[in-house]
Amino acid sequence: MKTDTHPEYHTIKVKMTDGTEFETRSTWGSEGDTLTLEIDPTSHPAWTGGGQRLLDKGGRVDKFNKRFGGLSLKKKEG
């Protein structure tokens, strides 16, 4: 096997957006560094349920209906 192919793991602190901290092992940074998160499971819309868009509001179909809703396919008599 080749030597020195695996990354160096060390202990770092991770600081969440709410201020809580925990220690974990990582290849990020160096021993004892603190990784401050901007987005985490306590604040991200994917986990909190916020920021969901409804598909019928402002979607492509709604835009189409607003633009062409008054048109009809009636035959002209003449």
Side-chain angles (χ1 to χ4, degrees):
M1 268 190 346
K2 291 183 181 179
T3 59
D4 298 328
T5 58
H6 295 285
E8 178 189 335
Y9 285 98
H10 43 270
T11 304
I12 65 166
K13 288 183 183 178
V14 178
K15 186 174 182 181
M16 307 287 271
T17 57
D18 63 358
T20 58
E21 291 183 358
F22 65 92
E23 286 188 358
T24 187
R25 292 180 48 88
S26 175
T27 58
W28 180 86
S30 6
E31 181 78 29
D33 283 352
T34 300
L35 174 64
T36 304
L37 299 178
E38 295 175 7
I39 297 176
D40 62 19
T42 61
S43 65
H44 194 281
W47 290 286
T48 60
Q52 292 179 344
R53 295 186 306 173
L54 297 176
L55 294 179
D56 3 80
K57 280 192 166 184
R60 291 182 181 212
V61 173
D62 189 49
K63 287 179 185 178
F64 179 85
N65 288 336
K66 282 181 184 176
R67 189 170 179 185
F68 301 109
L71 299 177
S72 64
L73 299 173
K74 295 178 185 175
K75 288 186 179 181
K76 290 185 180 180
E77 294 181 25

